[in-house]
Amino acid sequence: MSIVVDSFRAFIAGIRQLPRKRMTMRYPDVQTEMQSYYVYDPKLGVAKPGYKGRHILWLDKCTGCQLCSIACENISQAIEMVKVSRSQPNNKKSIFPQVDYAKCVFCGLCVDACPFYALGMTEDFNLVSTTKKNLVYAPEKLAIPPKVTRPKVEFKIDKDVAYHD
Amino acid sequence: MSMPLASSGLQTAQVAEDKLVVSIGPQHPGAGHFRFTITVDGDTIVDVAPDPGYVHRGAEKQTEYRTYLQSIPMLERSSLTDVTNIIGPYSLAAEELMGIEIPPRGQYLRMIMSENQRIMSHLYWLGIQGIFLGHSTMFMWPLGDRDIFVDLGQMIGGARITYSYWIPGGVRNDMPESFKPRALKVFDYFETRLKDYERIFFQNPLFLKRTEDVGVLRREDAIKLGVVGPVLRGSDVKSDTRIDEPYCFYKDLDFEVPSYKECDTYARCMVHLVEMRQSMRIIRQCLEKMPLGPVRVKLSPQQRTNPGEAYARVEAARGAMSFHIISDGSTKPYRVRISVPSMRNLIVLKKLLIGSHVADMPAIYWSLDYWPVEADK
């Protein structure tokens, strides 16, 4: 008897989901609201919460000290210091970090290593490329803030239903 | 003599008149990168030979070439469903060697992330257990709901899975203000959802038929074989590192440790379900009790430790995870020994499978929550 009752209850639990709204997001057409940049405050010794996507480099603050490159050693060797034709009084050698996203693991420990507020991580995660060369971001390319063009949807959650608007 | 079956590509070998050796894995969907050979007599398994080691990457040796901070992203990748808990004991042991004290808010944030990770890991486990038993709804629902907890982890950790959040010296960042209302909403939703799970899966007569009195691991055998985590608690032993050797602030919190007298696959499944509820209860208490203040002690990236040894243990999603670090006082550890719960639970596979039917093999195998990448390190 209880086999019949329990089977029926399992069936009803499935049926009750039918009128509910869709949980999945239509990704390439829309995108969720992302957090702000992940940045580190070397004076306080703690970071600000944010999404760890591709980097952003504030060129005028970078002194070419290579600490980000040293931090990435033994993790993924993704950061290489390259020479840029740009005269800057606080960067005599004019060397800036270049990130290879084919190697980067997005741990953000390079951001924690920067003592000059020059490096941060943005919410941009769309780093798709058909060639490996395009994944190498030169310092000038890292300095451009990302642009999100997709319309944004909110993920709503109620007491018994979670759905994308 | 080996003869591939044309239809499935399965490798078999006849060992006796009535016995056959069947190789399972290493590309078996669900089993992960793990291979075991079973000897079958008709429908009954008479011998099992587990063959782990396909994804061995030498994590222990690799830590010797990295500073204490640089090992974190590498160690996380050993156990992708349970990243916070695998670097937990490593950080605790390193902090003991460095002789530093973590601020209370940092400890509470560690507990929140650790419990959130436990729910995610258990939901992943539940999805695979569902599909192993042919219940595809129970594959879709937990993996869908897991995404909500991934989002919660992302709010604090800043990444989907590998956040490198719990590091020697505290945690990377404080939590955003929007986390608390969001988390409470998610827990209200997930508690009603767990009732749905019970109705459709855990009280489902078909699930009961497949798991009750299947793969029975008696209490004395479980203790003798040294299993840990949900497998041990499913065998009627109330053992939990969070209670036996409290780390962080677990001793101030109020939660239950489930254990079941049935000792079968069903008991092990129920332990996972109850633990998800208890984890939510822990996070609720943490959010209430959390003091304000700093979350991290500032350390040099090339931080040196005192020479000596340290051992730390935490309760990971699959059981007790422990690290033993020996330091010679330099910036890098001299030797690191990792003891992972998956490897310790693998030993019972040989005990449980012998004598059971071939059809019960997926249910028994996955109820141990064996994660090959974690076990091979």
Side-chain angles (χ1 to χ4, degrees):
Chain A
M1 191 58 203
S2 87
I3 285 178
V4 178
V5 174
D6 286 346
S7 302
F8 191 68
R9 274 165 57 117
F11 191 64
I12 294 291
I15 291 282
R16 279 178 56 227
Q17 306 295 320
L18 280 177
R20 298 212 171 141
K21 283 189 183 171
R22 186 180 59 231
M23 194 181 187
T24 48
M25 177 178 52
R26 296 281 155 109
Y27 166 65
D29 304 332
V30 289
Q31 186 175 318
T32 42
E33 190 78 52
M34 300 297 284
Q35 290 149 291
S36 52
Y37 290 6
Y38 175 82
V39 282
Y40 180 72
D41 192 340
K43 272 186 197 135
L44 297 171
V46 72
K48 208 172 123 263
Y51 190 75
K52 289 183 240 172
R54 85 136 164 97
H55 298 78
I56 185 157
L57 176 68
W58 288 284
L59 285 170
D60 51 329
K61 286 179 187 161
C62 181
T63 63
C65 69
Q66 309 184 15
L67 280 176
C68 50
S69 176
I70 293 165
C72 196
E73 254 173 32
N74 293 336
I75 293 176
S76 60
Q77 272 101 349
I79 301 181
E80 199 186 327
M81 303 303 286
V82 290
K83 219 167 171 66
V84 173
S85 57
R86 179 188 163 91
S87 62
Q88 204 168 296
N90 62 351
N91 196 340
K92 293 255 161 60
K93 286 189 210 157
S94 344
I95 50 168
F96 294 91
Q98 164 188 289
V99 186
D100 182 356
Y101 285 106
K103 291 179 183 170
C104 183
V105 295
F106 302 93
C107 62
L109 289 172
C110 48
V111 178
D112 287 20
C114 182
F116 300 108
Y117 302 90
L119 203 60
M121 287 180 115
T122 64
E123 76 272 23
D124 183 16
F125 58 87
N126 300 301
L127 296 165
V128 188
S129 165
T130 47
T131 57
K132 229 174 170 180
K133 226 179 210 171
N134 289 351
L135 286 172
V136 181
Y137 276 54
E140 294 94 339
K141 206 174 170 189
L142 284 177
I144 307 164
K147 265 186 240 155
V148 180
T149 47
R150 296 191 177 93
K152 283 172 180 164
V153 285
E154 204 190 337
F155 187 53
K156 288 188 175 162
I157 198 154
D158 285 337
K159 196 148 174 58
D160 57 347
V161 61
Y163 58 96
H164 274 100
D165 232 355
Chain B
M1 194 187 80
S2 171
M3 42 174 189
L5 300 179
S7 59
S8 61
L10 205 65
Q11 291 286 320
T12 58
Q14 198 98 34
V15 283
E17 188 91 340
D18 52 349
K19 286 187 186 123
L20 203 65
V21 174
V22 185
S23 173
I24 292 161
Q27 289 99 2
H28 186 268
H33 315 282
F34 172 61
R35 172 175 175 257
F36 55 105
T37 45
I38 53 171
T39 309
V40 287
D41 181 3
D43 191 24
T44 313
I45 297 168
V46 291
D47 195 20
V48 188
D51 181 15
Y54 280 88
V55 272
H56 173 65
R57 289 183 288 189
E60 288 178 2
K61 193 68 188 169
Q62 286 193 59
T63 51
E64 292 169 19
Y65 299 103
R66 288 165 161 82
T67 62
Y68 285 91
L69 202 57
Q70 283 168 346
S71 293
I72 296 287
M74 182 269 296
L75 285 173
E76 271 185 345
R77 275 150 183 85
S78 303
S79 179
L80 274 178
T81 57
D82 201 11
V83 290
T84 317
N85 291 321
I86 192 166
I87 55 178
Y90 175 77
S91 299
L92 289 175
E95 280 154 14
E96 201 185 314
L97 284 169
M98 292 168 188
I100 49 171
E101 197 68 19
I102 304 304
R105 192 176 173 85
Q107 307 249 27
Y108 273 105
L109 281 166
R110 283 176 170 188
M111 287 196 287
I112 289 173
M113 281 306 255
S114 178
E115 295 305 318
N116 190 44
Q117 195 75 56
R118 196 185 312 283
I119 299 174
M120 274 156 64
S121 179
H122 282 2
L123 280 173
Y124 188 91
W125 165 86
L126 182 55
I128 306 293
Q129 180 73 311
I131 199 73
F132 266 13
L133 294 171
H135 198 297
S136 55
T137 307
M138 215 52 210
F139 175 65
M140 310 276 181
W141 286 11
L143 290 185
D145 289 333
R146 180 175 175 268
D147 208 59
I148 300 169
F149 288 96
V150 173
D151 284 345
L152 274 188
Q154 184 193 313
M155 286 177 93
I156 298 184
R160 300 291 290 174
I161 299 166
T162 49
Y163 353 82
S164 312
Y165 186 67
W166 179 335
I167 56 166
V171 291
R172 292 279 288 280
N173 49 264
D174 207 338
M175 67 177 195
E177 276 173 18
S178 54
F179 180 79
K180 192 178 172 179
R182 180 74 179 178
L184 295 177
K185 252 186 182 179
V186 167
F187 297 155
D188 284 345
Y189 162 76
F190 192 58
E191 255 155 34
T192 53
R193 199 74 177 148
L194 278 177
K195 280 175 202 152
D196 278 348
Y197 286 8
E198 279 185 4
R199 273 186 217 115
I200 205 163
F201 190 64
F202 287 94
Q203 293 164 3
N204 193 323
L206 292 173
F207 175 69
L208 289 166
K209 274 244 158 71
R210 291 290 303 273
T211 53
E212 270 185 333
D213 295 323
V214 168
V216 178
L217 180 68
R218 295 261 159 255
R219 186 191 151 95
E220 48 270 25
D221 293 334
I223 293 168
K224 208 164 71 186
L225 292 168
V227 299
V228 286
V231 181
L232 185 61
R233 293 195 277 279
S235 292
D236 195 22
V237 184
K238 255 195 195 327
S239 163
D240 193 315
T241 316
R242 291 174 288 175
I243 297 216
D244 303 339
E245 292 170 21
Y247 52 97
C248 295
F249 285 120
Y250 277 110
K251 56 182 181 303
D252 297 349
L253 303 178
D254 177 31
F255 63 99
E256 284 164 22
V257 175
S259 74
Y260 285 85
K261 283 198 171 54
E262 288 82 4
C263 306
D264 54 4
T265 304
Y266 183 71
R268 291 194 283 277
C269 294
M270 286 306 285
V271 168
H272 284 88
L273 180 73
V274 177
E275 275 188 7
M276 282 194 269
R277 285 214 175 93
Q278 296 301 326
S279 288
M280 285 194 286
R281 196 171 151 197
I282 290 170
I283 300 178
R284 277 180 205 268
Q285 289 176 40
C286 285
L287 288 171
E288 263 175 35
K289 289 189 176 180
M290 220 155 96
L292 287 170
V295 296
R296 184 176 177 179
V297 180
K298 203 178 172 187
L299 297 175
S300 156
Q302 301 283 329
Q303 181 72 29
R304 285 176 187 278
T305 61
N306 305 320
E309 292 182 31
Y311 175 81
R313 193 155 77 130
V314 306
E315 184 72 20
R318 299 184 182 87
M321 174 98 72
S322 55
F323 273 70
H324 185 183
I325 303 180
I326 301 175
S327 168
D328 56 359
S330 69
T331 56
K332 293 165 185 173
Y334 177 76
R335 174 83 171 93
V336 173
R337 177 82 182 97
I338 314 171
S339 166
V340 285
S342 285
M343 199 64 192
R344 294 180 66 180
N345 288 343
L346 176 65
I347 198 164
V348 294
L349 196 68
K350 215 166 158 113
K351 179 154 187 68
L352 297 185
L353 281 187
I354 292 173
S356 68
H357 295 295
V358 177
D360 291 337
M361 190 182 62
I364 295 172
Y365 167 71
W366 197 251
S367 75
L368 303 176
D369 201 356
Y370 177 70
W371 190 254
V373 194
E374 186 187 271
D376 295 347
K377 296 176 291 220

